[in-house]
Amino acid sequence: MYNMEHCGLISVVKLEYREMYIPVPLKGIKISSQLVNYVAQVTVQQKYVNVEENPIECEYMFPIEEESAVIDFKAELEGRTLVSKVKPNAEAEKDYKEAVEQGRTGFLAQSVRPDMLQMKVGHLSPGAACTITLTYIMEAALDAEGNKVRLTIPTTISPKYVPYHDRSDEAKKISSIQYDFNTPAPMSFSVSCTMKTKIEEVTSPSHDIRVVGQEEEADAKDLHHAKAELSSTTTDMDRDIVVLVKCASAKSSIILREENEESSVMMLSLVPDLKLKNDPQLDVVFLIDCSGSMMGSSIKLARDAMNILLHSLIHSVHFNIIRFGSSYKKIFEKSVPYTDKTLKVARSHMNKLEADLGGTEILSPLKMLLEEKTELPRRIFVLTDGSVSNSMECIKVARRHNKTARVFALGIGSAADRHLVKGLARAGNGTSDFTVEGEMIAPKVIKQLKNCLQPSLSDVSIDWGKSVTKENSQQAPSVVPSLYNNSRLQIFRMFDKSQALPDAISISAKIPSDKEEKYEETVKVGQDSDALQGDLLHKMFARKMIQQLEENEDYGTENVKELITELAMKYKLMSKHTSIVAVDTKENKSEFPMQSRHIPNQVPHGFHGNSMRMYSMPMAMCASGAMMMRSAPVSKNKMSKRSYLFAANAISSPSYAPTSPGRRNSEPDSSEECDYDSSYAMETDCVLGSSPPSLFGKLKSKVGGGKISSDAFGGGKINNEESDMDKVLALISLQTAEGYFVKDDKIYSILNIDKQEIKKIGGDLDARVLYTLLVTLALAKKFPELKACWDLVADKAETYLAKQTVPQDIKDKIEQLLA
């Protein structure tokens, strides 16, 4: 018997009297993707080699996009391609186990949860090599700026917090994942893009990429193409790959159609253009993740987001802020009116925001907010990296209460939990977005806040044609999700083969207002020659149906399992209840017993600030709720002694140390704490007009634009764009809750104007009106490229000015001064 640990590309096998260093069997990963309008096909190729003298079983947990559908699996072994089959879990596991026991190589792919797969290669013979190719399809999102298609491909699984009460099989598998600061294998990446309109640029905020092929003219089908790949040959697997494709058609509504021998499927990809006023009567609560996993760049992004969100609220809302970790803490005892006094208190707390609350116990504060009775409609805005094992439990809680409260979520960091973030918003009838170090956070938080403040549309319906009924067709999801301005929504409908398809599809909804207003849009269906052939859209339809079954509690457990299994088997999809298995027919007997080798995931970039890199440690998560950092040498020059460190979610939470099962004192503290002072008169150095302590993250890097220094996250050289961001943030900080801007000397230095000249222009005009007019005009004139940052701030200022008397000649003189 021996114990085995991993460190980077070396496995450290601990024998009784010595240590053996064995190369990790995963030798390389190649990711290639095809993006066609708003649908992406991603192919992941993994190569394994056994350099040991004994057979091995390789086990690797890796991420995929949470709404994706695995459509193909191919295993190549010593020049032979094995036949793979989709089977119910029990049957697949039996086939795999029997093959391995008989000395035959087996392959087993299973879904741990919608965004996580487990791959097993059993009885890989000494000296043998194999290649696994897995293909999945997914929907691409619309970026917050509204003119770019956003493709995200996960490459690593962030360490998950496992709550004390979570004893599920899913939690056990998540707890078994091992981590290392080194990449498990070098990764290469490429993407080919096909769009209906000219592709203006292909960029990435996460990686350095280069365009290697871009056609200026459209092809015979009037489609435009571009290709991009990593600037270097390979890269680490420590962050999601994010690719942005800018083109005019990014926000267009379209219909894709596919036909096969049995049925037809339509995918309606809709981007509503809604002209709505903010709903002033809302209770907005910001739920901020301050757990240990948010350390480093993630908590800085959250702090920056809150600084701009607080100044972008409208004066008529009630609001509160809750920080959560092992416990949760309210800034106010209950939601309070948005005033200068409450804004001052909130800013004081946000300027000191740290990741200091231990584990990620999001379920307790989420349930409290959803179940709490409120006078105004509640909107919950979640900011998190989402490193939890019980995401499905959180999603189901949000769904149970989505008639009285809506949930909006922003995923923060290089490997945010996409299942939790997107699932919460999906179940809570809200929207979600993600931000990584290397891109502006402002457009995302402002778009989410706009969605949050948007009034709820009623009677949303889709007209698929008069002859279309529930008997001859089926829709997924069955209920049309909420509509939000400039947010992409995709609905699938499957039709019987004999059913005549519509020439156009119409969408309508009632807009709450004093007048009878209605949103209506009609999208035309393409010609028969434009129809796709095959089953890609059919598989996406089935995956959407499976997702609805998994997250909906209206069905019985056994009934859900039966329906999911039936769908997955019919469309050959991996699911919670079905696996993909392939086994070799050739036996490879060995005199040595088979040994297990676990492939570690790489610690996400910025996780915990990567402050523990000095230890060069692999990590494994403990089921009791803490994470154990275990060190092992990468080479003879590194540490050879093993040291233990409680980190991540265990920081500042000593009760989370691993304990024996059943020990009750290790149960997390879900008690509620309150930082609130009922008089609002908290002692604080924060006053209206003070600048926030940290900057926004690095701005996006464009192809050919070079790298942007990481100093943007604190100190170091600041480029012109970031300097402009500083200026905008400083100006925003001068606005009061009521909407007017206070007089401050920093206005003159930021705008480079003379104080006496402004005084002369203003004359006897009220200073509040004068400086509100000045700053509002200056933001539009001098910082148009940063409109996403000051958009709602300007709206609030214009609402204030509309109630005042503003002489046109003064406005004209200020505009001349700023020219």
Side-chain angles (χ1 to χ4, degrees):
M1 294 293 293
Y2 57 78
N3 180 41
M4 179 188 162
E5 296 180 12
H6 292 284
C7 194
L9 298 178
I10 300 293
S11 297
V12 183
V13 180
K14 294 184 178 294
L15 302 174
E16 187 174 356
Y17 300 107
R18 64 190 177 93
E19 293 181 341
M20 274 177 49
Y21 297 87
I22 299 173
V24 168
L26 181 62
K27 296 304 177 184
I29 293 183
K30 179 182 178 181
I31 299 178
S32 55
S33 56
Q34 293 179 296
L35 178 63
V36 181
N37 292 316
Y38 318 105
V39 177
Q41 179 171 302
V42 180
T43 300
V44 181
Q45 190 177 82
Q46 302 172 351
K47 184 175 182 180
Y48 296 84
V49 178
N50 180 11
V51 298
E52 302 181 44
E53 61 184 7
N54 50 266
I56 61 173
E57 179 184 51
C58 308
E59 182 178 315
Y60 182 34
M61 302 269 232
F62 67 97
I64 61 171
E65 172 57 36
E66 67 107 28
E67 292 187 279
S68 65
V70 177
I71 62 169
D72 191 33
F73 179 92
K74 183 170 66 173
E76 295 177 274
L77 177 66
E78 299 297 299
R80 306 188 309 279
T81 299
L82 307 186
V83 177
S84 64
K85 295 181 179 180
V86 175
K87 293 188 174 184
N89 287 341
E91 292 182 29
E93 290 167 3
K94 181 182 177 183
D95 289 353
Y96 172 80
K97 184 179 179 181
E98 288 179 352
V100 171
E101 288 176 346
Q102 294 168 10
R104 295 181 287 128
T105 302
F107 300 84
L108 180 65
Q110 294 185 300
S111 174
V112 178
R113 63 183 216 174
D115 62 343
M116 191 185 302
L117 301 183
Q118 180 184 49
M119 186 75 68
K120 285 185 177 182
V121 181
H123 207 280
L124 187 61
S125 300
C130 69
T131 300
I132 295 173
T133 305
L134 182 140
T135 303
Y136 62 87
I137 51 175
M138 55 184 277
E139 305 165 17
L142 180 66
D143 195 59
E145 296 180 32
N147 60 352
K148 298 174 184 176
V149 177
R150 184 183 183 92
L151 173 64
T152 302
I153 301 173
T155 68
T156 190
I157 301 169
S158 61
K160 309 295 182 191
Y161 175 80
V162 181
Y164 175 85
H165 66 273
D166 191 351
R167 305 298 190 204
S168 64
D169 290 339
E170 180 180 308
K172 290 177 183 177
K173 287 187 177 182
I174 289 173
S175 298
S176 72
I177 301 174
Q178 297 182 3
Y179 290 86
D180 199 285
F181 284 112
N182 299 302
T183 186
M187 179 191 74
S188 63
F189 169 75
S190 64
V191 58
S192 62
C193 310
T194 302
M195 297 289 162
K196 292 180 66 177
T197 56
K198 184 178 180 180
I199 298 172
E200 297 178 31
E201 64 179 14
V202 181
T203 62
S204 173
S206 62
H207 293 75
D208 286 331
I209 63 173
R210 60 182 178 183
V211 174
V212 293
Q214 183 166 355
E215 301 173 9
E216 292 296 325
E217 302 296 329
D219 63 13
K221 294 184 178 181
D222 202 27
L223 296 173
H224 298 260
H225 304 272
K227 294 181 180 179
E229 62 184 23
L230 292 173
S231 296
S232 56
T233 306
T234 61
T235 189
D236 286 359
M237 300 174 63
D238 65 346
R239 68 197 74 190
D240 294 346
I241 301 170
V242 180
V243 176
L244 303 175
V245 181
K246 185 177 182 180
C247 60
S249 62
K251 60 189 300 183
S252 301
S253 297
I254 66 165
I255 293 173
L256 296 179
R257 180 162 57 93
E258 179 181 83
E259 298 177 353
N260 64 20
E261 294 178 356
E262 296 181 358
S263 57
S264 300
V265 169
M266 282 188 173
M267 183 186 83
L268 169 62
S269 188
L270 178 69
V271 184
D273 184 14
L274 305 174
K275 307 300 182 183
L276 302 172
K277 294 182 179 179
N278 291 338
D279 189 344
Q281 301 300 318
L282 292 174
D283 180 334
V284 181
V285 181
F286 299 101
L287 185 58
I288 308 173
D289 188 347
C290 291
S291 64
S293 63
M294 286 283 289
M295 276 188 181
S297 59
S298 292
I299 198 66
K300 292 176 183 178
L301 287 169
R303 192 185 301 127
D304 290 338
M306 286 308 302
N307 276 319
I308 203 164
L309 283 169
L310 285 172
H311 280 282
S312 298
L313 287 173
I314 52 180
H315 74 278
S316 56
V317 304
H318 283 55
F319 81 107
N320 202 351
I321 301 172
I322 296 179
R323 302 188 305 123
F324 73 90
S326 300
S327 60
Y328 59 88
K329 297 184 178 183
K330 299 179 179 180
I331 300 300
F332 304 108
E333 185 178 3
K334 63 179 182 179
S335 294
V336 296
Y338 181 64
T339 66
D340 288 344
K341 192 174 288 187
T342 56
L343 174 59
K344 175 182 176 181
V345 173
R347 283 194 54 192
S348 172
H349 281 274
M350 292 304 97
N351 287 344
K352 297 179 289 186
L353 190 69
E354 296 294 344
D356 56 3
L357 290 182
T360 315
E361 287 282 352
I362 187 175
L363 185 60
S364 294
L366 183 65
K367 285 181 68 176
M368 181 274 296
L369 289 174
L370 290 168
E371 293 172 358
E372 187 177 49
K373 293 184 178 180
T374 59
E375 295 180 4
L376 300 174
R378 171 150 285 177
R379 300 288 185 266
I380 301 172
F381 195 131
V382 181
L383 292 90
T384 182
D385 65 351
S387 299
V388 296
S389 67
N390 62 336
S391 55
M392 187 61 78
E393 194 174 355
C394 298
I395 291 169
K396 289 183 177 179
V397 167
R399 184 174 294 279
R400 281 199 297 268
H401 298 276
N402 63 13
K403 297 290 190 296
T404 55
R406 294 195 171 192
V407 181
F408 301 80
L410 179 68
I412 295 175
S414 56
D417 189 328
R418 300 181 68 80
H419 181 45
L420 176 70
V421 172
K422 295 179 73 171
L424 278 178
R426 186 168 56 242
N429 285 336
T431 56
S432 63
D433 210 335
F434 296 83
T435 186
V436 298
E437 183 180 345
E439 62 182 341
M440 282 177 53
I441 192 173
K444 300 173 185 300
V445 297
I446 293 301
K447 181 180 179 181
Q448 288 296 91
L449 184 59
K450 284 182 176 179
N451 291 344
C452 189
L453 298 175
Q454 175 187 302
S456 301
L457 277 65
S458 59
D459 295 338
V460 181
S461 64
I462 300 178
D463 184 0
W464 296 91
K466 293 181 179 180
S467 62
V468 176
T469 65
K470 292 182 179 180
E471 285 70 35
N472 58 29
S473 66
Q474 197 170 12
Q475 180 178 294
S478 57
V479 177
V480 181
S482 299
L483 302 181
Y484 290 94
N485 187 45
N486 288 332
S487 293
R488 185 167 294 284
L489 175 69
Q490 291 178 325
I491 305 290
F492 295 84
R493 190 105 187 182
M494 178 179 284
F495 303 86
D496 291 343
K497 186 66 175 178
S498 59
Q499 174 61 38
L501 300 181
D503 296 325
I505 298 173
S506 300
I507 308 94
S508 64
K510 289 183 180 178
I511 299 175
S513 64
D514 296 335
K515 302 176 183 179
E516 285 293 327
E517 294 186 67
K518 199 172 186 180
Y519 159 73
E520 292 181 312
E521 182 174 352
T522 298
V523 185
K524 292 184 178 181
V525 178
Q527 303 295 321
D528 289 345
S529 58
D530 296 333
L532 304 172
Q533 301 297 319
D535 58 1
L536 291 184
L537 291 187
H538 284 72
K539 289 178 183 289
M540 291 183 75
F541 165 84
R543 177 67 189 93
K544 188 70 76 172
M545 290 288 291
I546 289 172
Q547 180 186 75
Q548 179 174 296
L549 289 167
E550 288 176 337
E551 297 179 1
N552 200 319
E553 296 181 311
D554 294 340
Y555 308 95
T557 304
E558 285 304 315
N559 191 30
V560 165
K561 181 178 179 179
E562 184 179 334
L563 289 171
I564 290 176
T565 302
E566 183 180 341
L567 278 167
M569 292 294 292
K570 180 177 180 179
Y571 294 100
K572 296 180 173 56
L573 298 177
M574 190 188 306
S575 71
K576 183 178 181 179
H577 303 294
T578 54
S579 307
I580 299 177
V581 64
V583 296
D584 193 12
T585 56
K586 180 181 176 182
E587 289 188 11
N588 296 287
K589 295 294 185 181
S590 173
E591 59 181 302
F592 298 104
M594 184 180 73
Q595 305 296 337
S596 295
R597 301 290 181 250
H598 294 265
I599 312 297
N601 268 254
Q602 187 171 7
V603 177
H605 173 74
F607 183 82
H608 264 272
N610 275 3
S611 58
M612 292 159 291
R613 181 177 289 277
M614 60 181 288
Y615 293 97
S616 297
M617 301 177 183
M619 295 198 299
M621 183 166 295
C622 302
S624 61
M627 287 192 299
M628 179 73 79
M629 304 290 293
R630 303 184 297 175
S631 68
V634 176
S635 68
K636 294 181 180 179
N637 296 324
K638 300 258 179 143
M639 298 190 323
S640 60
K641 292 184 179 181
R642 183 165 54 167
S643 63
Y644 290 90
L645 171 70
F646 286 109
N649 300 320
I651 289 178
S652 76
S653 182
S655 64
Y656 275 68
T659 60
S660 59
R663 183 174 170 181
R664 301 301 299 171
N665 64 358
S666 66
E667 187 167 355
D669 174 19
S670 60
S671 61
E672 170 187 329
E673 299 181 43
C674 186
D675 297 337
Y676 171 69
D677 183 332
S678 60
S679 67
Y680 301 166
M682 301 185 72
E683 291 296 326
T684 174
D685 295 329
C686 176
V687 294
L688 287 173
S690 65
S691 298
S694 61
L695 304 177
F696 278 73
K698 298 179 297 183
L699 300 181
K700 61 183 183 300
S701 60
K702 295 183 178 180
V703 175
K707 293 184 178 180
I708 300 178
S709 170
S710 60
D711 288 338
F713 268 89
K717 187 176 180 180
I718 299 176
N719 63 36
N720 289 333
E721 286 185 294
E722 288 163 331
S723 179
D724 283 348
M725 180 65 75
D726 279 340
K727 294 174 183 179
V728 169
L729 288 174
L731 291 173
I732 287 174
S733 71
L734 299 175
Q735 190 179 43
T736 65
E738 196 175 334
Y740 65 84
F741 285 83
V742 297
K743 178 182 177 182
D744 192 284
D745 286 345
K746 70 177 65 175
I747 294 176
Y748 311 121
S749 59
I750 290 174
L751 302 181
N752 194 26
I753 56 177
D754 183 68
K755 181 177 181 178
Q756 295 303 319
E757 192 164 0
I758 287 296
K759 186 176 180 180
K760 181 180 178 182
I761 290 175
D764 296 331
L765 186 64
D766 187 310
R768 292 175 296 182
V769 177
L770 175 63
Y771 285 94
T772 302
L773 181 61
L774 172 62
V775 174
T776 304
L777 292 174
L779 288 171
K781 182 69 177 178
K782 293 185 174 292
F783 309 104
E785 73 284 359
L786 297 176
K787 184 179 179 182
C789 306
W790 51 260
D791 197 10
L792 291 180
V793 169
D795 287 348
K796 189 161 58 173
E798 288 170 1
T799 300
Y800 169 80
L801 290 173
K803 301 174 183 177
Q804 316 300 321
T805 301
V806 183
Q808 184 62 42
D809 63 321
I810 292 181
K811 182 178 180 181
D812 293 340
K813 290 178 181 178
I814 292 176
E815 287 180 334
Q816 292 175 8
L817 181 67
L818 296 171

